[in-house]
Amino acid sequence: QVQLVESGGRLVQAGGSLTVSCAASGRTFSRYPMGWFRQAPGKEREFVAGISSWNGGSTRYADSVKGRFTISRDNVKNTVYLRMNNLKPEDTAVYSCAASTVGSAVALPTSREYAYWGQGTQVTVSS
């Protein structure tokens, strides 16, 4: 069983930056491919970013955030981060992290590939 706890969401102005974090339980965190997803009111959950197992050498981003968001991981702290720059009102959503326990050298872009999910953290971008 893997527990994921997100933090760092808040209200931010358009054009601003924010980093959200996801702390994971478990002694084999480095083996988990990790992902960030978001869900805005009235919309389906969508992939935001993913990072591969181990050294995180493979990352993948949704087109809507490419060049603005950066996913990273710290295997000592069992934490994955999502750095968000140049935020836009359309980035407003609940951001959730997800973990797969099947090691992967490539980032995983679809929700069905992840077995564990956090509760989410609210990010609101004002115009």
Side-chain angles (χ1 to χ4, degrees):
Q1 189 76 10
V2 178
Q3 293 184 325
L4 304 172
V5 179
E6 300 94 338
S7 62
R10 61 176 175 87
L11 173 65
V12 63
Q13 287 189 331
S17 298
L18 184 67
T19 298
V20 291
S21 305
C22 171
S25 65
R27 292 182 291 179
T28 57
F29 172 77
S30 63
R31 190 165 59 92
Y32 309 156
M34 300 293 295
W36 283 99
F37 292 76
R38 67 186 181 186
Q39 187 166 20
K43 294 187 177 181
E44 293 187 354
R45 182 169 59 191
E46 64 174 354
F47 170 78
V48 176
I51 189 165
S52 59
S53 306
W54 305 296
N55 66 357
S58 168
T59 57
R60 189 163 181 169
Y61 298 92
D63 288 342
S64 59
V65 307
K66 204 171 291 183
R68 299 188 297 124
F69 290 12
T70 303
I71 188 171
S72 62
R73 65 188 302 152
D74 184 332
N75 292 333
V76 174
K77 295 182 178 180
N78 279 18
T79 301
V80 64
Y81 304 96
L82 184 67
R83 173 66 176 178
M84 302 179 284
N85 294 326
N86 190 22
L87 282 160
K88 304 175 181 180
E90 51 264 42
D91 294 318
T92 295
V94 174
Y95 284 71
S96 300
C97 67
S100 168
T101 55
V102 178
S104 174
V106 297
L108 306 177
T110 58
S111 60
R112 67 177 181 272
E113 295 173 290
Y114 293 93
Y116 298 98
W117 294 82
Q119 292 297 314
T121 186
Q122 176 70 47
V123 174
T124 303
V125 184
S126 63
S127 57

